[in-house]
Amino acid sequence: MGSWHYDFQLDAITASDQLKKLFGLDPNAEFSFELFISKVAEEDRQNIFQVYRDPGLINPAHPRFEHEYRIQMDDGSIRWLKAKGKIFFNSDGKPIHFAG
């Protein structure tokens, strides 16, 4: 199991060493949203963009989320991952960060 944190203001994602391993990366590798998206199977990318980028789907009344997607590994194999987490909001109801 890996963990991650996405900061809306910085548009930056950080990942634990274990999560990097699940993505087939070295623990010292940089992890960015662009890298994350590039590893997600083409068929699942639109759903990921909606989950992370569509403000209409981000709702303080429903801060918890869970979704599954496929990762395309460098050797051509596919790995299924399940992301679970929570979105944190400021007092104005704007998302601050995801943690999962």
Side-chain angles (χ1 to χ4, degrees):
M1 186 172 0
S3 61
W4 52 273
H5 177 265
Y6 178 76
D7 186 305
F8 280 93
Q9 283 74 33
L10 298 176
D11 192 26
I13 189 169
T14 54
S16 68
D17 291 350
Q18 182 60 30
L19 184 65
K20 290 176 185 179
K21 184 177 177 181
L22 290 170
F23 276 76
L25 302 170
D26 182 87
N28 295 320
E30 291 292 320
F31 197 91
S32 65
F33 187 77
E34 291 74 23
L35 174 67
F36 166 66
I37 287 297
S38 74
K39 294 281 196 175
V40 173
E42 187 75 33
E43 302 85 6
D44 296 337
R45 284 185 189 161
Q46 186 59 37
N47 185 43
I48 295 298
F49 275 120
Q50 286 178 332
V51 168
Y52 287 90
R53 303 288 186 166
D54 185 343
L57 297 177
I58 299 171
N59 184 337
H62 305 286
R64 298 203 179 274
F65 68 94
E66 181 176 324
H67 61 272
E68 294 181 359
Y69 52 90
R70 292 164 284 188
I71 298 296
Q72 180 74 46
M73 304 304 288
D74 290 341
D75 66 3
S77 64
I78 297 289
R79 180 175 286 168
W80 278 92
L81 296 180
K82 179 184 265 188
K84 290 180 159 186
K86 183 176 179 181
I87 305 168
F88 294 85
F89 298 86
N90 67 16
S91 59
D92 294 326
K94 298 207 184 295
I96 300 168
H97 62 89
F98 279 144

